[in-house]
Amino acid sequence: MGVLDSKVPQGPLAEKWVNHKNKINLVNPANKRNIDVIVVGTGLAGGSAAATLAELGYNVKTFCYQDSPRRAHSIAAQGGINAAKNYQGDGDSDYRLFYDTVKGGDYRSRESNVYRLAEVSGNIIDQCVAQGVPFAREYGGLLDNRSFGGVLVSRTFYAKGQTGQQLLLGCYSAMNRQINRGKIKSYTRHEMLDVVLVGGKARGIIARDLVTGEIERHSAHAVVIASGGYGNVFFLSTNAMGSNVTAAWKVHRKGAYFANPCFTQIHPTCIPVSGDHQSKLTLMSESLRNDGRIWVPKNLEDAKAIREGKLKPTDLAEEDRDYYLERRYPAFGNLVPRDVASRAAKERCDAGFGVNKTGEAVYLDFSAAFMRYGKEAVSTQKIENASEEKIRELGIAVVEAKYGNLFQMYEKIVDENPYKTPMKIYPAVHYTMGGLWVDYNLQTTVPGLYAAGEANFSDHGANRLGASALMQGLADGYFVLPYTMGDYLANDISTGPISTETEEFVEAERKIKEQLDSFMNSKGTKSVDYFHKRLGKIMWDKVGMSRNATKLKEAIQEIKALRAEFYKDVRVPGVAVGMNQELEKAGRVADFLELGELFAKDALHREESCGGHFREEFQTEEGEALRDDENFMYVAAWEYKGEPADAVLHKEELKYENIQVKTRSYK
């Protein structure tokens, strides 16, 4: 076991980033033209990094498995992006955003990185407005803000329920400018299958053209992994079906440490599972918790009657409803952090108060918001003697203007009108706080290999606050990597082009072809999805919302056995040379089967509860997470040694010099 050097600059917290930028090495414009950078992933982190690095003068190659960079999963983000602009005048500041983020992550994130994130957050909004991102505006013309879970201010900028899409289109336009200039070469429908190390440094990748099936070598002076998270290890998640861990896992196998894999977020407001036919789950934005109230029936008899279709939720009197988040957490109410809200929903459903046929759903109800906004509209429009029906109608119009596309999406999926009956929601896997370990410069333990956005671990600790994913991705890409990579690349101005004919490239390509051939030559009888679904069930049942030592040990053995069965009995139809989506999935599931075991191993070793990691053995009398700061206040970074069981733990001790560490309370 080793102690990791995070390379955090010395000096006061608020001056670290400014001083660091003033002291690091730079590459002059003439030399940037001779340096190549590969960016894997074209979501908000990868797209913003590629556009900015190309604008600076570097030669950039981007890779994505989608048919266009604008189809990255960032497009699915709904609710908003955080920034400490204090437009509402409600007391926000860089420090408060920093504090909320560290507290929301249950004191398991690196203090210096989080402060930098808060510090550059305002620049992100300015950048996106300049790109034409159509943020919502309030009556005076200023950008509007709403609140999200775990905070007491309104700092979330949004574009209806399409914030991720609009931000990605802005990012994509910046990329297109560089593609048109010839500074970015965009490789769509390409999947990175390995990183190539030359002299211990990341010098390129092996990629597969997903249309022709050809294996390609691509060289560069540095490589950025911005390929998102690994939530699909659970099979069912809010992630796009193609989202995977392969790029991150391949570099992990080549020496990049993987940090805190068990820190995975369960989002509380998702459309519940409806049956075995599903391939993914749908998120309902956390922004809905601004106006929606979450409840279940107070009485078990009423809950049973609702499940059996004998009682409608609208028939239940107000005094017979349990607004359990407002009851348990009066200070934050329905806007508690995601991990807290998710566990509370599970507790109510486990106790028998669930409201759908499976008993795994709670209500998200907007009836109070309809009346509140309606009364405000009646007042502003000077309508006298308005009926209750008219008030509700006016209130619905306000809610529709704020969340209309989300309500429409819900109705299309569930076939119920959420304006007339409360939405049903239940927690689901959404985001992964764990990822590749990076230092302050966002460099992994492999020189020249960087990780950005959800692919790294650095900013969210054990739980991510809502609307902070978009913030981190764009901060990393627009405002961090362009500086820190220059410090490393300043040593490569005389290196010249990197050849793809070296022994390292040849060997990496050979191993990839060998793996693909083994899949194609397998004489098994089961589909790739068969194994992925089984892995997902093990993960959800034993490594999901709550965990214990017994189930984690069982999961490790079951995943190990499933992995052996996969290689013995998987069947991949089609051909290797040409389009073959089953072959793509086989490689991704093979990596998930290794990650899943390390995930469980990490959860087993961390004998505490914190954020999204909830060990049943470690909880307060009230059922809240019980941290062990004396023994586990560190980042757990795992070194690959051939098998997940053999992974070696390295620790990065976490020190808090600007925040008082205490038990989280949202009461």
Side-chain angles (χ1 to χ4, degrees):
M1 183 181 73
V3 178
L4 293 166
D5 179 11
S6 58
K7 297 184 173 63
V8 174
Q10 298 297 313
L13 184 66
E15 298 174 14
K16 287 182 187 293
W17 180 231
V18 173
N19 291 339
H20 189 59
K21 288 190 293 182
N22 287 338
K23 294 176 181 177
I24 58 178
N25 294 318
L26 301 176
V27 181
N28 82 41
N31 287 328
K32 285 172 184 166
R33 293 194 290 267
N34 300 319
I35 293 178
D36 305 320
V37 178
I38 284 174
V39 179
V40 180
T42 57
L44 290 180
S48 59
T52 310
L53 290 167
E55 183 75 42
L56 288 171
Y58 297 105
N59 307 309
V60 179
K61 290 181 179 181
T62 62
F63 293 81
C64 68
Y65 66 78
Q66 300 93 343
D67 60 358
S68 167
R70 70 181 181 276
R71 293 192 186 275
H73 187 58
S74 297
I75 204 169
Q78 298 168 348
I81 176 171
N82 288 331
K85 285 283 197 180
N86 196 31
Y87 281 174
Q88 304 297 309
D90 55 2
D92 202 9
S93 64
D94 288 353
Y95 181 85
R96 190 170 291 277
L97 173 53
F98 155 70
Y99 175 82
D100 287 343
T101 304
V102 173
K103 177 185 175 184
D106 219 355
Y107 305 95
R108 291 295 179 264
S109 53
R110 186 187 294 149
E111 197 178 59
S112 57
N113 286 62
V114 178
Y115 191 87
R116 177 175 64 188
L117 176 64
E119 191 178 354
V120 304
S121 65
N123 297 339
I124 299 170
I125 304 304
D126 297 339
Q127 171 93 358
C128 294
V129 169
Q131 291 172 341
V133 173
F135 286 120
R137 294 179 182 268
E138 47 88 38
Y139 69 96
L142 294 176
L143 299 185
D144 196 13
N145 290 127
R146 54 192 179 199
S147 188
F148 261 57
V151 305
L152 294 173
V153 298
S154 295
R155 66 162 67 101
T156 303
F157 296 77
Y158 64 98
K160 268 198 169 180
Q162 308 168 353
T163 313
Q165 180 183 31
Q166 299 303 327
L167 291 172
L168 189 61
L169 288 173
C171 184
Y172 180 58
S173 68
M175 278 187 67
N176 266 344
R177 167 177 150 78
Q178 301 306 323
I179 292 171
N180 189 52
R181 292 179 64 219
K183 295 303 294 181
I184 291 180
K185 289 184 179 179
S186 176
Y187 292 85
T188 59
R189 300 296 287 140
H190 278 69
E191 183 167 29
M192 172 191 155
L193 295 181
D194 205 359
V195 66
V196 180
L197 307 186
V198 179
K201 298 180 179 180
R203 291 304 199 189
I205 66 169
I206 304 297
R208 180 173 181 267
D209 184 323
L210 300 181
V211 176
T212 67
E214 292 182 15
I215 305 300
E216 302 175 358
R217 308 174 194 172
H218 295 272
S219 65
H221 297 88
V223 176
V224 178
I225 303 298
S227 53
Y230 48 88
N232 275 353
V233 69
F234 287 85
F235 186 70
L236 286 180
S237 81
T238 66
N239 288 245
M241 286 179 65
S243 297
N244 63 81
V245 76
T246 290
W249 195 254
K250 295 299 187 186
V251 303
H252 171 56
R253 290 173 65 108
K254 285 291 185 73
Y257 294 177
F258 209 99
N260 299 336
C262 76
F263 286 170
T264 302
Q265 182 166 86
I266 313 293
H267 198 294
T269 53
C270 299
I271 296 177
V273 175
S274 61
D276 293 337
H277 62 283
Q278 280 183 273
S279 55
K280 77 176 299 295
L281 297 173
T282 303
L283 170 71
M284 298 308 297
S285 170
E286 182 173 315
S287 63
L288 295 173
R289 288 199 277 148
N290 273 282
D291 289 310
R293 300 177 73 193
I294 296 172
W295 63 275
V296 293
K298 275 186 181 178
N299 303 312
L300 285 169
E301 299 79 20
D302 290 337
K304 183 180 179 183
I306 286 175
R307 287 196 296 271
E308 293 174 351
K310 297 176 181 178
L311 185 67
K312 294 181 180 178
T314 49
D315 295 334
L316 214 59
E318 189 73 10
E319 60 269 20
D320 293 325
R321 302 178 179 191
D322 178 15
Y323 296 94
Y324 58 87
L325 290 178
E326 297 172 32
R327 169 173 56 82
R328 291 177 60 174
Y329 309 102
F332 283 75
N334 295 295
L335 285 173
V336 292
R338 292 174 176 178
D339 61 315
V340 176
S342 294
R343 284 195 296 274
K346 182 179 187 297
E347 184 274 328
R348 287 290 80 194
C349 290
D350 288 350
F353 294 93
V355 296
N356 67 349
K357 290 182 179 179
T358 65
E360 293 186 331
V362 300
Y363 286 126
L364 180 61
D365 193 339
F366 286 81
S367 54
F370 296 153
M371 299 307 291
R372 184 177 73 253
Y373 284 126
K375 289 175 182 176
E376 188 176 306
V378 164
S379 178
T380 57
Q381 296 177 33
K382 310 302 180 186
I383 300 174
E384 295 185 8
N385 302 318
S387 66
E388 195 164 299
E389 185 178 341
K390 181 63 177 179
I391 293 172
R392 182 179 173 87
E393 178 188 323
L394 292 170
I396 285 175
V398 174
V399 170
E400 186 175 9
K402 294 179 74 173
Y403 311 111
N405 62 307
L406 298 172
F407 277 59
Q408 183 183 41
M409 182 173 69
Y410 179 89
E411 185 170 6
K412 283 188 174 182
I413 293 172
V414 179
D415 196 27
E416 287 182 0
N417 185 341
Y419 294 106
K420 294 181 179 179
T421 187
M423 291 182 182
K424 295 188 190 80
I425 57 168
Y426 194 70
V429 174
H430 178 57
Y431 186 91
T432 53
M433 286 77 68
L436 295 170
W437 184 89
V438 292
D439 62 17
Y440 188 74
N441 296 318
L442 304 187
Q443 187 169 216
T444 70
T445 46
V446 174
L449 181 66
Y450 293 78
E454 192 177 358
N456 75 32
F457 87 100
S458 67
D459 292 9
H460 305 297
N463 174 65
R464 177 175 67 77
L465 292 182
S468 287
L470 307 185
M471 175 176 63
Q472 186 214 344
L474 292 181
D476 287 354
Y478 282 138
F479 299 110
V480 179
L481 277 177
Y483 285 100
T484 61
M485 289 188 72
D487 187 42
Y488 171 82
L489 293 170
N491 296 317
D492 269 325
I493 59 176
S494 302
T495 300
I498 307 295
S499 172
T500 59
E501 300 302 320
T502 63
E503 180 183 338
E504 291 87 350
F505 274 92
V506 173
E507 180 63 12
E509 181 181 336
R510 184 191 66 78
K511 287 186 176 180
I512 289 300
K513 287 182 175 178
E514 193 176 86
Q515 183 189 38
L516 296 177
D517 288 342
S518 71
F519 287 139
M520 297 309 305
N521 294 330
S522 175
K523 305 301 181 184
T525 60
K526 303 292 193 306
S527 70
V528 176
D529 279 346
Y530 168 82
F531 291 99
H532 197 178
K533 286 181 179 180
R534 283 180 58 191
L535 172 64
K537 182 166 177 54
I538 295 169
M539 294 296 295
W540 181 251
D541 290 347
K542 299 183 177 181
V543 203
M545 241 191 297
S546 63
R547 305 152 182 179
N548 61 56
T550 300
K551 287 186 177 180
L552 288 170
K553 290 174 183 176
E554 291 173 359
I556 290 170
Q557 296 306 314
E558 289 174 19
I559 294 170
K560 195 175 297 186
L562 183 63
R563 188 165 66 246
E565 185 182 342
F566 169 80
Y567 283 106
K568 180 181 178 182
D569 201 25
V570 72
R571 179 177 180 273
V572 180
V575 294
V577 181
M579 186 178 289
N580 188 340
Q581 291 186 312
E582 287 301 303
L583 181 57
E584 297 169 30
K585 288 194 293 185
R588 296 167 189 169
V589 171
D591 295 328
F592 278 137
L593 283 163
E594 291 190 1
L595 165 71
E597 185 181 337
L598 183 65
F599 189 127
K601 177 176 180 173
D602 185 48
L604 181 63
H605 116 274
R606 189 170 283 275
E607 295 181 337
E608 65 165 351
S609 291
C610 57
H613 169 62
F614 191 76
R615 284 284 296 271
E616 294 169 2
E617 306 96 321
F618 308 101
Q619 56 182 301
T620 67
E621 291 182 2
E622 297 174 318
E624 305 293 347
L626 185 62
R627 294 197 321 265
D628 181 352
D629 293 337
E630 184 177 346
N631 295 305
F632 290 97
M633 191 176 279
Y634 59 76
V635 177
W638 298 92
E639 180 183 4
Y640 184 81
K641 288 292 186 180
E643 287 286 336
D646 302 325
V648 174
L649 173 64
H650 299 268
K651 298 179 181 179
E652 178 197 341
E653 302 294 337
L654 294 172
K655 297 178 182 178
Y656 295 98
E657 300 171 350
N658 298 272
I659 281 182
Q660 181 183 355
V661 177
K662 52 189 177 183
T663 300
R664 283 194 307 171
S665 174
Y666 294 96
K667 297 182 177 182

